[in-house]
């Protein structure tokens, strides 16, 4: 076997003293008697180090560059046959009205005088009968002009196209790949570098190791894997540098791309798919990226990548090529056979001409010669005959090696880090588990990553805290030490309405948080790095400390300054209801971020909906005055419950008087009358009603104010718990949005 199938050059987990049981032979091939888990294999190594030798040896990276021996296990072969994928396209066609009504055959049956639009649906074929194979130890590159179907083919092989839409079959070692199995043994690197900007290269890879490597693997071994991968990717000098973004200087573009590759190969997948890994890079950085991919393939992986126009240096690193033109194969084979191929077609490549550039230019000329796609038809047909003549395919050859289940087990025993392998040999899919780690471990790691990234951008929380303090200061000075007069009651109601609505509006900054992480989340969950439920729970837990701090800051700024009632117990309830309002508002905005994908649209919706919540809260119009067809919105209003809660906390004291007899005339035209005139008026009213109303008689208590405001359904604690429940409700809705809206597959 050729050198490109040589073992991986650096294995960061296996010690020289590792001694596994010799595999049994089946049909002339080696097979492990039991498919051990990765954790069990590593435990054997640890036991051997601790017990098998008198002196414990340090765990170290072993350089295997000097070894050049054939594998005892046949390589993996990924085969794809007759892949066809079409999508519906719609276009509007404006026709005269005389063609408006047609029968089912399209015959005109009537005419009128005006124009109208008809929507015509066509099928566009993105992949047309594509076949080929990719082998372990090789780099398969898919080439072609923009729109040729490169990314579509990568998506098809990576199971990112719905099964009902994709025709043909994809097999690994002759067996059909199940979606669940493919997610665990493969990785997909997107074209865009989706990384957390304030994490260093080492931290980014370490968090990926925490997700993708099983919990049974010790922390030290995970760190060793990360360090070995940093060396393999050529990132040693940038290991302590943050990734960076537009506002923070970080690593270079080529280093970012290699980090993106590293986080997906941390578990050493058997198959690696990459969409345009060299896009946007200079020639040197692009060469280094492909050189890394070659090393990955030589470590025992299948590498399939799309690339636009590789340089001659990069071409020397590639093992197989597939040229696509409008979804059809125009060449498939080794780069070295390109001159011979075009020579036999009748268009030899001139000497000293870059063969890739010549091939792409020639294919483009054929495409332009017939816009409908017929220009490349001769080349497509010639490729089929060329393949049948020089490389006749034997579909049974893939089955001659180990079965897929046995090959995966043998691959694990060689050091491949297929996360979560099990001993169950009942089926191929059962040899791997869906997730490498338990639920609670995922929550801890996600929370740690989020907090570390947030701590390095303190300006974001500082701006939010500043906004809350400024708002609280303005409210405190505007409503300074309100009295208990009728005017003071009115002002207290206005303060509570504004304060409670402000807590919800300040939660709008939670909108871009998930929108910025959306594609990172989709990339990581597409191949089972962690559960969606883990992300939702960690996302919820991380925001609680900041919300509690903001709530306390706002409550402390306003409670005593405004002169609210209740003493210390009243303050703690006031703080609790504000905290609940922040929690419900943050959950609501987070839920909207799961539905809306554009920040500006999201802000528009948030502001509008929160305005409706305030309108129907019961401040502007009492519940009994709301029209019946809008009453449902009153009970859905998030502002209603904290607003009623603080009202109950303030006025729910039947012994406290808020309006005396002489204050009855306040807020009326008689308020300008003298006290003596008000006393005389009270005597007249008393005589008329038969009641003794003196200037000091209590006319309105706190209970009367609550009744006037329509706050009679719930206690203040009921309002608190309902507000908290709203927060949990929207978090659950957010989870279902992620569950149904982040499939990351083409239809």
């Amino acid at each position: 076997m050729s050198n490109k199938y040589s073992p991986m050059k650096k294995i960061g987990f296996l010690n020289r003293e590792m001694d596994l049981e010799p595999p049994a032979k089946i049909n002339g091939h080696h097979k492990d008697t039991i498919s051990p888990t990765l954790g069990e294999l590593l435990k054997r190594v640890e036991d051997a180090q601790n017990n098998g030798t008198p002196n414990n040896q340090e765990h170290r990276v072993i350089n295997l560059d000097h070894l050049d021996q054939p594998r005892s296990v046949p390589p993996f072969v990924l085969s794809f046959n007759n892949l066809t994928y079409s999508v519906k396209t719609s276009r509007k066609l404006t026709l005269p009205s005389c063609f408006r009504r047609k029968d089912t055959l399209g015959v005109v049956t009537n005419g009128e005088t005006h124009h109208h639009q008809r929507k015509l649906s066509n099928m566009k074929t993105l992949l047309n009968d594509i076949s080929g194979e990719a082998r372990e130890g090789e780099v398969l590159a898919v080439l072609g002009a923009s729109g040729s179907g490169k990314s579509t083919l990568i998506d098809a092989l990576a199971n990112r196209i719905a099964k009902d839409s994709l025709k043909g079959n994809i097999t690994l070692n002759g067996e059909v790949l199940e979606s669940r199995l493919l997610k665990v043994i493969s990785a997909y690197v997107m074209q865009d570098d989706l990384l957390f900007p304030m994490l260093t290269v080492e931290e980014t890879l370490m968090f990926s190791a925490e997700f993708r490597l099983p919990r049974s693997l010790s922390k030290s071994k995970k760190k060793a894997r990360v360090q070995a991968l940093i060396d393999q990717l050529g990132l040693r000098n940038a290991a302590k540098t943050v990734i960076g973004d537009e506002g923070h200087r970080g690593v270079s573009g080529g280093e970012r791309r290699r980090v993106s590759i590293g986080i997906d190969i941390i578990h050493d997948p058997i198959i690696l798919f990459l969409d345009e890994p060299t896009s946007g890079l200079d020639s040197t950085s692009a060469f280094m990226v492909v050189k890394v991919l070659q090393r990955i393939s030589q470590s025992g992986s299948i590498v399939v990548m799309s690339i636009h126009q590789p340089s001659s240096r990069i071409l020397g690193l590639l093992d197989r090529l597939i040229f696509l033109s409008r979804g059809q194969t125009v060449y498939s084979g080794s780069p070295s056979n390109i001159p011979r191929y075009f020579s036999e077609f009748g268009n030899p490549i001139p000497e000293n001409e870059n063969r890739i550039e010549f091939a792409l230019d020639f294919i483009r000329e054929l495409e332009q010669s017939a816009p409908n796609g017929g220009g490349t038809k001769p080349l497509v047909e010639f490729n089929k005959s060329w393949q049948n003549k020089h490389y006749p395919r034997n579909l049974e050859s893939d089955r001659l090696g180990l079965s897929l289940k046995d090959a995966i087990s043998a691959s694990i025993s060689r050091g491949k880090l297929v996360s979560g392998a099990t001993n169950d040999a009942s089926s191929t899919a059962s040899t791997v588990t869906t997730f490498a780690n338990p639920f609670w471990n995922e929550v801890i790691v996600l929370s740690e990553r989020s907090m570390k990234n947030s701590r390095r951008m303190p300006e974001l929380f500082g701006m939010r805290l500043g906004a809350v303090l400024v708002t609280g200061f303005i409210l405190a000075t505007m409503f300074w030490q309100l009295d208990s007069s009728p005017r003071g009651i009115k002002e207290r109601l206005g303060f509570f309405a504004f304060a409670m609505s402000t807590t919800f509006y300040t939660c709008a900054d939670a909108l871009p948080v998930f929108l910025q992480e959306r594609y990172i989340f989709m990339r990581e969950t597409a191949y089972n790095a962690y559960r969606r439920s883990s992300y939702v729970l960690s996302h919820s837990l991380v925001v609680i400390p900041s919300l509690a701090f903001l709530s306390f800051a706002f409550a402390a700024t306003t409670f005593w300054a405004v002169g609210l009632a209740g003493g210390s117990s009243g303050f703690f309830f006031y703080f609790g209801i504000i905290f609940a309002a922040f929690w419900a508002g943050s959950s609501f905005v987070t839920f909207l971020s799961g539905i809306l994908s554009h920040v500006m649209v999201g802000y528009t919706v948030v502001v509008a909906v929160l305005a409706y919540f305030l309108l129907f809260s019961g401040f502007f119009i009492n519940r009994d005055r709301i029209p019946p067809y809008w009453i449902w919105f009153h009970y859905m209003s998030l502002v209603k419950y904290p607003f009623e809660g603080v009202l109950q906390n303030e006025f729910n004291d039947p012994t406290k008087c808020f309006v005396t007899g002489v204050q009855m005339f306040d807020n009326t035209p008689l308020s300008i009358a003298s006290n003596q005139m008000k006393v005389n008026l009270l005597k007249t009213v008393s005589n008329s009603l038969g009641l003794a109303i003196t200037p000091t008689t209590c006319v309105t208590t706190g209970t009367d104010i609550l009744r006037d405001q329509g706050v009679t359904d719930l206690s203040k604690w009921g309002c608190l718990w309902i507000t908290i429940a709203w927060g949990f409700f929207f978090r659950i809705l957010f989870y279902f949005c992620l569950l149904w809206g982040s499939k990351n597959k083409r239809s």
Side-chain angles (χ1 to χ4, degrees):
M1 192 172 292
S2 61
N3 292 341
K4 59 191 174 186
Y5 295 140
S6 60
M8 69 187 302
K9 295 185 177 181
K10 290 186 179 180
I11 304 176
F13 298 96
L14 304 182
N15 190 275
R16 294 183 189 271
E17 285 72 24
M18 180 177 180
D19 185 17
L20 300 178
E21 292 292 331
K25 286 189 175 182
I26 298 180
N27 296 329
H29 298 283
H30 290 286
K31 174 189 175 183
D32 290 344
T33 55
I34 297 178
S35 173
T37 66
L38 176 61
E40 290 173 345
L41 286 172
L42 295 169
K43 189 162 189 317
R44 292 188 202 175
V45 179
E46 192 171 3
D47 292 342
Q49 292 173 340
N50 294 336
N51 302 323
T53 59
N55 298 322
N56 293 338
Q57 298 185 9
E58 292 183 0
H59 175 74
R60 60 185 182 276
V61 175
I62 303 175
N63 195 325
L64 301 179
D65 286 337
H66 62 284
L67 295 181
D68 187 17
Q69 58 188 15
R71 293 181 180 274
S72 60
V73 180
F76 288 96
V77 178
L78 177 68
S79 300
F80 47 98
N81 302 289
N82 312 115
L83 296 184
T84 301
Y85 173 55
S86 301
V87 295
K88 287 184 178 181
T89 59
S90 299
R91 61 186 180 91
K92 290 183 177 179
L93 179 64
T94 302
L95 297 173
S97 59
C98 60
F99 298 105
R100 182 175 185 181
R101 289 190 294 175
K102 299 182 180 183
D103 61 15
T104 55
L105 297 177
V107 179
V108 179
T109 58
N110 194 14
E112 292 180 7
T113 58
H114 62 279
H115 290 70
H116 75 290
Q117 287 186 333
R118 289 177 56 89
K119 185 177 286 188
L120 302 180
S121 296
N122 295 322
M123 295 298 294
K124 181 179 180 180
T125 301
L126 302 182
L127 297 178
N128 188 358
D129 196 27
I130 305 294
S131 298
E133 66 179 22
R135 294 179 173 271
E136 176 188 334
E138 294 183 343
V139 178
L140 169 64
V142 183
L143 292 85
S146 299
S148 61
K150 302 188 301 294
S151 297
T152 305
L153 178 58
I154 299 294
D155 287 345
L157 297 178
N159 191 37
R160 292 163 60 89
I161 296 179
K163 287 185 178 180
D164 297 336
S165 302
L166 182 66
K167 309 301 179 184
N169 64 82
I170 302 172
T171 62
L172 184 62
N173 284 17
E175 299 183 23
V176 177
L177 268 175
E178 299 180 21
S179 175
R180 176 171 167 268
L181 174 65
L182 181 63
K183 283 186 176 183
V184 180
I185 68 172
S186 68
Y188 184 97
V189 180
M190 296 181 179
Q191 184 173 349
D192 299 322
D193 299 322
L194 305 172
L195 305 167
F196 285 93
M198 300 312 295
L199 298 181
T200 66
V201 170
E202 186 176 14
E203 289 170 343
T204 301
L205 295 175
M206 192 64 207
F207 279 119
S208 180
E210 294 285 357
F211 290 133
R212 300 307 301 260
L213 302 184
R215 181 170 167 266
S216 57
L217 197 63
S218 66
K219 191 84 170 181
S220 61
K221 290 186 173 63
K222 290 179 181 179
K223 289 182 179 179
R225 168 61 180 163
V226 168
Q227 296 304 319
L229 186 59
I230 288 175
D231 290 332
Q232 185 182 18
L233 296 172
L235 295 170
R236 176 55 59 190
N237 293 333
K240 301 296 183 181
T241 307
V242 296
I243 300 299
D245 56 9
E246 294 82 358
H248 303 85
R249 185 175 180 84
V251 297
S252 66
E255 290 169 336
R256 285 174 62 92
R257 188 61 47 85
R258 279 176 274 160
V259 174
S260 297
I261 295 172
I263 60 179
D264 285 310
I265 66 168
I266 192 70
H267 63 303
D268 205 359
I270 293 174
I271 309 174
L272 178 60
F273 302 103
L274 305 101
D275 185 15
E276 297 276 7
T278 61
S279 176
L281 302 181
D282 59 82
S283 60
T284 301
S285 298
F287 175 77
M288 293 180 65
V289 167
V290 180
K291 185 67 176 177
V292 167
L293 297 179
Q294 184 190 50
R295 294 174 188 163
I296 294 171
S297 69
Q298 292 173 348
S299 72
S301 297
I302 299 173
V303 176
V304 183
M305 59 180 286
S306 61
I307 188 169
H308 183 66
Q309 189 167 345
S311 64
S312 57
R313 289 199 303 165
I314 292 178
L315 187 63
L317 304 177
L318 306 178
D319 300 286
R320 291 172 183 261
L321 303 178
I322 294 181
F323 280 88
L324 296 182
S325 172
R326 295 176 179 172
Q328 294 182 296
T329 305
V330 293
Y331 175 75
S332 177
S334 171
S336 60
N337 288 332
I338 293 178
R340 179 184 175 189
Y341 175 81
F342 282 98
S343 177
E344 293 187 14
F345 182 70
N347 289 80
I349 301 177
E351 293 184 8
N352 301 324
E353 178 97 10
N354 186 301
R355 45 189 165 175
I356 293 297
E357 292 181 358
F358 174 87
L360 292 174
D361 292 342
F362 179 66
I363 294 170
R364 176 56 62 88
E365 291 177 3
L366 294 179
E367 290 176 346
Q368 294 176 347
S369 65
N372 60 355
T376 56
K377 185 176 181 180
L379 194 58
V380 172
E381 297 299 328
F382 177 74
N383 175 67
K384 293 179 180 178
S385 61
W386 164 275
Q387 295 297 325
N388 293 331
K389 177 181 177 182
H390 295 281
Y391 307 104
R393 295 195 62 194
N394 182 5
L395 298 180
E396 295 298 323
S397 62
D398 297 343
R399 306 178 186 272
L400 298 179
L402 292 176
S403 67
L404 182 55
K405 173 171 63 65
D406 296 333
I408 292 175
S409 299
S411 182
I412 295 171
S413 68
R414 296 199 309 270
K416 301 297 287 185
L417 305 181
V418 181
S419 57
T422 70
N423 288 334
D424 187 357
S426 59
S427 66
T428 302
S430 66
T431 60
V432 288
T433 56
T434 306
F435 299 97
N437 292 281
F439 170 80
W440 60 267
N441 191 69
E442 294 173 350
V443 173
I444 293 174
V445 176
L446 283 166
S447 301
E448 181 184 356
R449 182 177 69 173
S450 180
M451 288 188 293
K452 180 170 289 189
N453 190 63
S454 300
R455 280 199 304 268
R456 292 177 181 171
M457 291 188 290
E459 62 273 11
L460 299 180
F461 179 76
M463 290 296 293
R464 190 175 184 186
L465 177 61
V468 169
L469 290 175
V470 168
T471 303
F473 175 77
I474 293 175
L475 289 175
T477 52
M478 284 289 293
F479 297 93
W480 180 263
Q481 294 298 315
L482 296 178
D483 55 28
S484 298
S485 65
R487 181 174 296 178
I489 294 171
K490 184 178 179 180
E491 291 169 348
R492 286 174 192 266
L493 293 175
F495 166 77
F496 287 134
F498 190 87
M500 293 303 103
S501 60
T502 298
T503 59
F504 287 97
Y505 278 107
T506 54
C507 291
D509 68 337
L511 184 69
V513 173
F514 176 70
L515 293 180
Q516 294 173 350
E517 297 181 9
R518 175 189 294 272
Y519 295 104
I520 297 179
F521 165 82
M522 293 176 65
R523 184 202 67 205
E524 292 176 334
T525 56
Y527 285 82
N528 295 348
Y530 48 80
R531 299 166 179 82
R532 292 172 175 84
S533 56
S534 303
Y535 180 84
V536 173
L537 181 57
S538 69
H539 191 278
S540 304
L541 294 175
V542 166
V543 301
I544 289 178
S546 61
L547 295 182
F549 191 85
L550 294 174
S551 302
F552 185 83
F554 185 81
T557 305
T558 58
F559 184 83
W560 288 285
V562 177
L564 301 182
S568 58
S569 61
F571 170 77
F572 283 112
F573 179 84
Y574 180 67
F575 159 71
I577 198 71
I578 291 176
F579 180 37
F582 269 118
W583 162 250
S586 176
S587 299
F588 173 70
V589 173
T590 301
F591 161 64
L592 289 182
S593 71
I595 299 177
L596 307 172
S597 58
H598 196 279
V599 175
M600 296 308 299
V601 174
Y603 277 124
T604 303
V605 173
V606 168
V607 171
V609 174
L610 290 179
Y612 302 149
F613 284 162
L614 178 60
L615 175 64
F616 289 97
S617 64
F619 170 71
F620 294 102
I621 182 171
N622 287 355
R623 184 181 66 231
D624 56 352
R625 300 282 293 173
I626 297 177
Y629 46 84
W630 283 119
I631 195 65
W632 59 273
F633 210 131
H634 170 71
Y635 290 101
M636 289 185 62
S637 172
L638 295 182
V639 180
K640 161 187 165 64
Y641 300 99
F643 176 64
E644 293 186 359
V646 291
L647 288 184
Q648 299 234 26
N649 189 54
E650 183 70 16
F651 297 113
N652 195 19
D653 184 358
T655 63
K656 185 175 181 180
C657 184
F658 287 91
V659 180
T660 60
V662 75
Q663 293 175 327
M664 288 176 55
F665 304 104
D666 291 356
N667 296 328
T668 69
L670 296 176
S671 61
I672 61 175
S674 63
N675 287 338
Q676 185 60 43
M677 183 177 291
K678 292 178 182 178
V679 170
N680 293 333
L681 288 173
L682 285 176
K683 291 179 180 179
T684 303
V685 172
S686 298
N687 293 332
S688 300
L689 298 177
L691 298 174
I693 304 177
T694 66
T696 59
T697 300
C698 184
V699 178
T700 303
T701 64
T703 305
D704 298 325
I705 296 174
L706 295 178
R707 187 183 305 110
D708 290 341
Q709 293 296 316
V711 184
T712 57
D713 289 348
L714 298 167
S715 66
K716 68 177 185 180
W717 295 106
C719 294
L720 175 64
W721 297 124
I722 289 178
T723 306
I724 295 174
W726 271 119
F728 283 104
F729 174 72
F730 284 116
R731 293 286 171 174
I732 294 173
L733 291 183
F734 177 56
Y735 166 72
F736 284 110
C737 287
L738 301 186
L739 189 63
W740 295 328
S742 59
K743 296 298 184 182
N744 206 22
K745 278 191 177 185
R746 303 192 191 196
S747 59

